[in-house]
Structures are given as structure tokens and as C-alpha cells.
Amino acid sequence: MTLQRCEALMRLGWLIALIVAGLWPDDSARAQDWRSQTDCAAVERAAEGGDTSFYVDLAICHIRGEGREPDVAKGLVWLRKAVALGDTDAMVELGNLYLFGAEGLAVDAPGAVKLYARAARLGDPNAMFNMAVMHRGGYGLPENPRLARAWYLRSGEAGLAAGAFGAGVALLEGYGGRSDARRGVLWLRRAIEMGSAEAMNELGRLHAEGLGVSSDSDKALYFYRAAARNELPDAMYRLGAAHYNGRLTDRNYVVAMRWFQLAADRGDYDAWFALGVMCETGRGVKSDRELALQMYRRAADSDQPAVRDKAQRAIDRLLGLAEDDEDPVG
């Protein structure tokens, strides 16, 4: 696993839906869980009646437009009121808006960092995690691996699963300091205890490759399945690859195809490519070049150059535009 592969995008929950690009934790920044079933009319009555605990929820109602026209300006008013009262959830949410911009609000990454830092000083684990993400670089800001690692550790210590996972990966990778496999695995286990499917998947990979832990096919499959039960597409893809290649378990193309389909249905482009290979070669299904072409075209939509390029090569081969060997799966 490389830092380039681990690079991830900010996940903003109700603000912006982005595809996670690797094994770093969903670079998250949602301050609180918010459900679409929220009764925005009741929230508005409570907030306007002076109940400050509903200010952030009302801001989200306005920004999302639940049961009304979206109104970012009104949402910002309520967020700023909550920030003025010291609400760390509001600081994180307003920071998210500054980071990516919104209608009537220009992108302001330094402004986002100030809000995250303020919330982090007040003990907010999501803000601590966001500080780690910001120090990973990007967003027009310089990279500082040492501070990124320190903030992952702090957010993990504060009880955030994504932070614990980020700390584990940083320690295993030697990102921001010396590599420490023992501590890295301990942090992954802490993240698993907090419910991190990404940490389950990563520990499965470590057991599959014998990195920092014993090489153990049964444990690898156990953790992959645990992550898959938690709806992690990459774990589903890895289970498909295990059955396709016969490396961790007996080769079984039918089972492999089922796992690849589950992963593909959840947006895994490697899985779409794998399905293309299976349809083209008749493994686990009757050979069907037209269906394979459809699968490869889905894979070609990936934002990862390696996946996109190999899918395009396969498309060109099937269309008779180029000669290329079949790419392996897994």
C-alpha cells in the first residue's frame, strides 16, 4: 500500500458525496449524524423558540432543502449563530462549507482550518480528524506529515474510528514518523472495536500478505468478510479476487463473480473490470464479449488512472483497435 494509493477525498455527508479513492479513512468531516427523516418544521420551531441545540440541525435543513427550497444563506446564518455560542458541530460544518465553497460562499481553506482548529481545541474528534486531513496537503495548503499523524492519533484517542484507522495506517506506512507495525496493528484493532470496516479490511490485507502480523488465510478471509458485512466494497472485491485467484481459499469462479457483482453494485471500478474479464473469458459465466464490453466501459468511468487505462485497453482490444493481453484480477 502506498501513500498515493491511500490518498482520499473529503467526505462531507450531507454536503458533498465523493468517491473514496483509497485506504486512508474516509477523509470525513461530518460533525454529527443527521438523518433525512428529521422533522425540519419541528426543528425550526425549536430553534426559533430559543433552543440553541437545534441551530445546527436547522442550518442543515435549510442547506439541504428538506421540505423546502434549499437556502444556503439562511443555513449560514444559523451555523454562525451556533459557532458564536461555541458549538463545535457548527464549527466543523461551517468549516466544511468554507473548504469546498457553496452558493454565495467562496472557497476559503485557511478559514476552514481556523474553524477546525478552534473546534479541535475544544475537544471535538471530528475537527481533530479534519486537521489531520488538512495537513495531508491539498486544498492549496502545504503537506505536513508529522502534524497529520499527530492529529490522526489525537482523533483516535478521542474515540473517532476514522481517526484510529488513520493513525494505524500512518504508523504502518511510516507516514509522519518512523514505521511501527506493532503500534499500527494495535490502532487498527482499536478502530475495529469502534466499528471501522476500513480497519477490518486492512487487517485482512495484512494477514493475507503477512505484513506486521502472521500470514493467515483464515484470518484474512475472516476480516474481509467482516468488512463486507459492513458494506465495504473493497472488501467484497478482495473476497472476489481471493476466490478468483485461489490464493486464500479454493478457486471458485461462481463465488468470485458474486462478490465482484456486490462490489461493483456499490461503485467499485476494479470489480467492474474483473466482471469484464470473467465475461470475456467465460469464467463463472458463459463467454459474452458484448457484456464484457459493457463491464469494461463501466470500469473506464473510474477516476483512478490505472483502472481507467486498463479498462480502455480492454475496450480497444474487443473493438479490434489494439492488441493487448488480458489483465489479471486481484
Side-chain angles (χ1 to χ4, degrees):
M1 179 173 56
T2 65
L3 288 176
Q4 287 72 26
R5 185 183 176 198
C6 289
E7 192 64 41
L9 300 170
M10 233 4 166
R11 178 177 59 82
L12 299 182
W14 55 273
L15 287 177
I16 297 177
L18 293 173
I19 298 172
V20 177
L23 286 177
W24 280 93
D26 286 356
D27 282 349
S28 162
R30 228 278 53 234
Q32 56 175 235
D33 291 330
W34 194 87
R35 298 162 299 190
S36 60
Q37 297 91 340
T38 296
D39 185 342
C40 287
V43 166
E44 188 165 28
R45 287 193 298 271
E48 293 184 343
D51 191 334
T52 60
S53 66
F54 285 94
Y55 283 9
V56 176
D57 283 333
L58 181 54
I60 298 172
C61 284
H62 283 302
I63 293 168
R64 286 192 59 162
E66 295 291 331
R68 65 191 72 203
E69 286 296 316
D71 192 328
V72 174
K74 285 184 178 179
L76 288 171
V77 168
W78 287 102
L79 280 180
R80 286 171 173 146
K81 284 183 178 182
V83 167
L85 294 171
D87 188 313
T88 60
D89 283 346
M91 295 172 196
V92 172
E93 302 296 6
L94 185 56
N96 293 343
L97 286 171
Y98 280 167
L99 188 62
F100 286 96
E103 184 180 347
L105 186 68
V107 171
D108 181 3
V113 171
K114 288 180 181 178
L115 284 162
Y116 296 151
R118 181 178 171 188
R121 287 194 299 270
L122 293 171
D124 189 288
N126 289 290
M128 295 172 190
F129 183 83
N130 284 5
M131 290 296 290
V133 172
M134 300 307 287
H135 286 300
R136 287 288 306 279
Y139 312 107
L141 300 174
E143 182 179 16
N144 189 321
R146 182 182 63 82
L147 287 178
R149 175 160 154 170
W151 280 114
Y152 279 132
L153 286 163
R154 283 193 61 182
S155 62
E157 288 164 353
L160 190 69
F165 174 54
V169 172
L171 287 160
L172 287 162
E173 290 277 316
Y175 182 72
R178 199 167 70 182
S179 176
D180 189 332
R182 185 188 66 82
R183 284 183 65 209
V185 170
L186 287 175
W187 273 105
L188 288 183
R189 294 190 185 281
R190 287 181 68 174
I192 289 171
E193 290 171 1
M194 298 175 192
S196 170
E198 290 81 3
M200 299 171 196
N201 190 46
E202 180 65 356
L203 192 54
R205 186 188 72 84
L206 295 179
H207 277 296
E209 299 179 15
L211 299 174
V213 293
S214 61
S215 178
D216 190 318
S217 297
D218 290 339
K219 287 183 179 179
L221 291 170
Y222 170 82
F223 285 111
Y224 284 156
R225 288 179 182 129
R229 284 196 297 272
N230 282 275
E231 293 293 310
L232 189 69
D234 188 62
M236 298 172 187
Y237 170 79
R238 289 175 183 274
L239 285 166
H243 285 92
Y244 181 93
N245 293 313
R247 289 177 185 159
L248 300 175
T249 186
D250 294 337
R251 177 175 282 132
N252 187 320
Y253 291 139
V254 173
V255 174
M257 176 160 277
R258 289 173 186 163
W259 280 116
F260 286 143
Q261 185 65 63
L262 287 170
D265 288 344
R266 289 158 177 78
D268 190 294
Y269 292 101
D270 280 309
W272 283 117
F273 181 83
L275 289 171
V277 171
M278 298 189 79
C279 289
E280 182 182 359
T281 59
R283 295 171 183 166
V285 67
K286 183 179 178 180
S287 179
D288 187 327
R289 291 171 66 87
E290 285 301 316
L291 187 57
L293 193 58
Q294 293 178 37
M295 302 297 102
Y296 289 141
R297 283 173 172 154
R298 294 294 296 270
D301 289 333
S302 173
D303 61 355
Q304 297 183 51
V307 178
R308 188 171 61 245
D309 291 348
K310 69 179 181 180
Q312 189 59 55
R313 290 197 305 271
I315 293 168
D316 291 344
R317 183 183 65 249
L318 287 182
L319 293 177
L321 301 175
E323 293 184 6
D324 195 5
D325 293 330
E326 171 201 333
D327 285 272
V329 175

